[in-house]
Amino acid sequence: MQNSSFAHQLAVSSVLPRLSVGMPNTVNIGFLAPLSGQVESWGLPGLHGCRIWEDWLNKTGGLLINGRRYPIKIVEYDCGYDAGQAAKGARHLIEQHDIKLLMMLGGDTMAQIRDHLTHRKVLTSTLLPSDLSPDTPYLIAPSELHPIYNVTGVDWLAQARPELGTVAICSQSDAHGLPSLATYRAAFKAANVGIAKEIQYDPDTTDAAGIVQPMLDSNADILCWCTSYTPMVHSMTEYAHAQGFKGQLISCTLDYYDRLIARTSVEFMEGFVFQFPDFDDEKLQEKTFFFNQPKSFFDEYNRRFPGTWTAVSWEYAAILDIWHAAVEKCNSVNPLSVLAAMKQLGHVTHAFGPAHWWGESMFGIDNALVGDWPVVTLKHGKAKIAAFGSIPSWLKRHGDRLKQEMSDLGQLWEQRLRSIGNEAALQTRIPESIIPKK
């Protein structure tokens, strides 16, 4: 397979419906994510990246549909990672702005509006494939496979440092934290690393000492923050430094790592393992996405929005790249047509290489792209890609273990349907013989 972007590889049949008649001059895209509050670093930087993508595309004339150009307009709404605000924002964007794509962070902000989005057939993207279920056919996770890509970091660490035998894990008990905890549990067990301590904490807590001290008391070789929010990652890392921890640190994200280094030391942070590279990394230069210009994107981002690069700065833009290609191939912004275009090929290329649609075994629907993912470490104060780990390869070997850990924490799609009282939908999806008796 050629090493080119999804935008260049997507080949869609000409018989797909072309439903652009009566379309307004501007194509609106909704951005519904936390632009303030504790989860801001997973929303606002993503909007910044989308603004660059929007400007780049509009400078070329916009979307090309049936020989006509249409400018893109991204309309944002700050939900602050609040479910009620997300519901209000979704209705505003759909009813007032006639959006053709809704981009969300997902998680706890998805629960109240999932059925509404499905009923309205709104093509919606999430960064959390754990939001997916058979009853959300228009919900896709084409950019980030959180938290399953975290297995690559653990797998690499176990090979790079086999002397590390135990880990202490902590995670907030919400829709970001619990799937992440299940994934890290499975990954460490698969790597024969013993779990010396596990702590689940309230997502609103700010007591880093109360979380980290018991982890330190376990004398574990590794401290794992799972997918804790950025303020807690910083607070917990600083506490571990203040207590003289000398072992290995691992986390899903490490946003604003330069600030942490300034408050601790280059030596303390050396070797920290996480999953999100800077896009000036030399190992990304042969990857082709964002108009084949990952470094140009990174440079432009830092020029316009200095000091704000995070794990999501590129992810929403990567979704737009995929959506844009599908729109131009099927000559339509109709959600059904665009989704069909996206799914036309079983194997595509995303930001980090070849990928394929997956998810039925875990989420009940193949609406997530899975492929390789980078393992990143800090070297002399700078994020560097250590390797690209294969998620499909790990799942082939340990998928049953991951599914069991997800089940133990109530994170499988059928368990989530039960948790929100959607038994009617569940009955239509699961054979009666395997539905537990009440």
Side-chain angles (χ1 to χ4, degrees), residues 2 34 43 56 62 160 175 191 194 237 283 310 326 333 339 341 343 349 427 429:
Q2 293 179 354
W56 283 6
T237 302
K283 291 188 178 180
T310 72
V333 291
L339 182 58
K343 300 292 286 292
T349 300
Q427 290 281 347
R429 297 293 182 180

Side-chain angles (χ1 to χ4, degrees), residues 213 216 235-245 263-264 268:
Q213 191 56 55
L216 294 172
S235 295
M236 294 189 297
T237 302
E238 290 179 50
Y239 184 84
H241 172 258
Q243 299 305 307
F245 180 67
R263 292 195 294 265
T264 58
F268 176 76

Side-chain angles (χ1 to χ4, degrees), residues 2 32 51 78 86 104 118 133 156 168 192 196 291 340 348 404 429:
Q2 293 179 354
L32 178 61
R51 293 298 182 204
D78 180 10
M104 296 185 63
T118 300
S133 79
W156 177 86
N192 295 314
F291 306 102
V348 297
Q404 183 59 57
R429 297 293 182 180

Side-chain angles (χ1 to χ4, degrees), residues 76-202:
E76 79 272 15
Y77 193 99
D78 180 10
C79 69
Y81 203 61
D82 176 83
Q85 282 297 109
K88 181 180 177 182
R91 288 178 170 82
H92 170 79
L93 292 169
I94 294 167
E95 296 167 8
Q96 301 299 317
H97 296 280
D98 188 29
I99 57 171
K100 303 305 179 184
L101 170 70
L102 178 63
M103 293 187 292
M104 296 185 63
L105 172 62
D108 294 302
T109 59
M110 185 67 71
Q112 290 188 21
I113 58 176
R114 183 182 286 109
D115 291 344
H116 180 70
L117 296 175
T118 300
H119 177 73
R120 295 291 296 265
K121 294 183 172 64
V122 179
L123 182 59
T124 306
S125 68
T126 177
L127 298 188
L128 300 179
S130 51
D131 289 334
L132 303 176
S133 79
D135 297 292
T136 57
Y138 314 111
L139 181 65
I140 57 174
S143 180
E144 178 177 350
L145 198 71
H146 179 272
I148 299 174
Y149 52 67
N150 287 320
V151 303
T152 63
V154 174
D155 195 46
W156 177 86
L157 181 61
Q159 296 177 51
R161 299 196 62 188
E163 74 277 10
L164 302 177
T166 57
V167 62
I169 305 177
C170 69
S171 175
Q172 75 276 22
S173 53
D174 64 7
H176 277 86
L178 292 176
S180 182
L181 177 59
T183 302
Y184 275 108
R185 276 183 181 179
F188 279 116
K189 289 178 182 179
N192 295 314
V193 176
I195 299 176
K197 186 70 176 180
E198 178 184 301
I199 295 177
Q200 297 182 33
Y201 63 87
D202 188 289

